[in-house]
Amino acid sequence: MNVADSEIKSLLTSYPKITVYGLSNDPSKPSHYVPVYIRDKGWGVVGTYPKEHSVGGFTIYKSLKDVPKEDRKFIDVFRSSDKIPEVIDEILSLGGTEVIWLQLGISHPEAEKKAEEAGIRVVSNRCLIIEHRNYF
């Protein structure tokens, strides 16, 4: 993680739109209720999920490459830690991302370093709900 605690609030206020990588159709999962919370607090939220769904009223894309580039600046990732290297590679291949946020319990130091070396700000093992409540 290359974002200091003191930078979290500024980071959140700098990006009005978030793409959620792995936005679930199951309302009981964090990968669904975290995006709902963030949307309800005023952020624009779109998601990716391999299966089509419309749960929660989100715009869902089958893959990250389908998400408009202007919506991929801040990507909130809900994938297991072992999948992060391939997620980082996908993000780097598409370009345009400025922030990668790995949700609570998710980290992969080597993949994070690769993203950081490409100029991307990385937050890992942090929950957007918890951080929002800390600062707003």
Side-chain angles (χ1 to χ4, degrees):
M1 180 170 101
N2 66 350
V3 176
D5 289 347
S6 61
E7 298 174 284
I8 297 288
K9 182 177 183 181
S10 173
L11 189 71
L12 292 175
T13 58
S14 297
Y15 294 90
K17 191 144 201 185
I18 295 173
T19 293
V20 177
Y21 193 109
L23 198 159
S24 176
N25 59 355
D26 182 345
S28 70
K29 291 186 174 183
S31 55
H32 184 83
Y33 65 74
V34 171
V36 168
Y37 175 92
I38 291 301
R39 180 190 60 198
D40 290 350
K41 297 300 180 187
W43 278 268
V45 177
V46 299
T48 68
Y49 198 75
K51 298 176 186 170
E52 288 187 38
H53 75 81
S54 59
V55 176
F58 293 101
T59 299
I60 304 294
Y61 298 92
K62 282 192 95 152
S63 72
L64 194 57
K65 73 176 192 275
D66 299 323
V67 177
K69 188 174 182 177
E70 63 271 11
D71 294 343
R72 293 193 316 252
K73 290 182 180 181
F74 186 120
I75 300 177
D76 179 26
V77 180
F78 284 92
R79 292 296 309 264
S80 60
S81 293
D82 65 315
K83 300 290 185 194
I84 297 306
E86 66 189 57
V87 171
I88 298 292
D89 287 345
E90 181 181 4
I91 289 169
L92 293 176
S93 74
L94 294 170
T97 299
E98 298 172 9
V99 177
I100 298 172
W101 186 290
L102 305 177
Q103 278 295 138
L104 194 61
I106 304 170
S107 67
H108 194 288
E110 295 84 14
E112 291 172 44
K113 184 175 181 187
K114 186 175 184 179
E116 291 167 359
E117 289 172 350
I120 297 174
R121 303 188 72 197
V122 178
V123 177
S124 61
N125 193 28
R126 299 274 183 124
C127 177
L128 280 171
I129 291 176
I130 293 169
E131 297 307 322
H132 179 267
R133 288 178 179 161
N134 283 340
Y135 296 105
F136 300 95

